[in-house]
Amino acid sequence: MAFSFPSLRKPSPRTVLILAAVGALSVGAVAAGASKDQAAPSNEAPAAAPPPKQAPAVQATTDSARTSADTQAAAALPQCRAARLVTINSTWGIPVPSVYGSTSTNCNLMYGDDPHRGSTVYGDPDTAIRVLQRNLNYCYGSKLTVDGIYGSNTRAVVKLVQQRHKLAVDGIYGPKTRSAMNWRMYSMGTRSWSTGCYSPI
């Protein structure tokens, strides 16, 4: 039995051209994929990997380090052993703890000042602590005993003030706490106190 195959039409020149172009594109794509899989030696240095994203824990460590640095800076200052009226304008001033025998208010008060720190006996830290305690009572509503002792209650209130003003919460009264907190002002001219509390220093 003989089989007969159907006769095929001869493709037109245009069809041959299209088929050739499609075939060439397919072969080129396969060759390009193969060359990517085989790494050819190159004189160029490999591209650097992108840097890893910073983890939140690193940020927390940075904040902790900053808080520790703030605490150390405050603790390194001399003890406030006096109080002085810092002039705000021609009418008002603010009584704040200060350095003994100086106009500077860059000093600290901390837990255990009762009333002198260590063997230092000059100045009057008792007055400095009382000025701070009176102000904390009036401007922050604390009910501290105004005793001139920087005890656990005074430290706890200072910590609340620091937390409220987004400072390092270490319980040490220093320049950053002084500048951030609110103070009751006093007028030497009228010998009267302000009814409100302000943060002008």
Side-chain angles (χ1 to χ4, degrees), residues 51-137:
K53 289 188 177 177
Q54 194 175 29
V58 174
Q59 183 62 42
T61 303
T62 304
D63 291 343
S64 176
R66 190 176 332 120
T67 298
S68 177
D70 288 349
T71 298
Q72 289 174 0
L77 292 169
Q79 181 187 18
C80 301
R81 296 191 181 97
R84 66 178 295 265
L85 191 70
V86 176
T87 304
I88 301 304
N89 56 35
S90 59
T91 306
W92 297 100
I94 298 176
V96 295
S98 66
V99 176
Y100 177 72
S102 168
T103 58
S104 174
T105 58
N106 288 334
C107 54
N108 71 24
L109 292 167
M110 62 177 73
Y111 181 69
D113 287 347
D114 182 19
H116 300 283
R117 187 182 302 161
S119 60
T120 304
V121 293
Y122 66 87
D124 189 10
D126 176 79
T127 297
I129 296 167
R130 286 175 188 269
V131 164
L132 177 64
Q133 289 171 331
R134 284 191 191 99
N135 192 74
L136 291 170
N137 285 345

Side-chain angles (χ1 to χ4, degrees), residues 103 166 183 193:
T103 58
K166 297 178 174 43
W183 294 90
W193 290 91

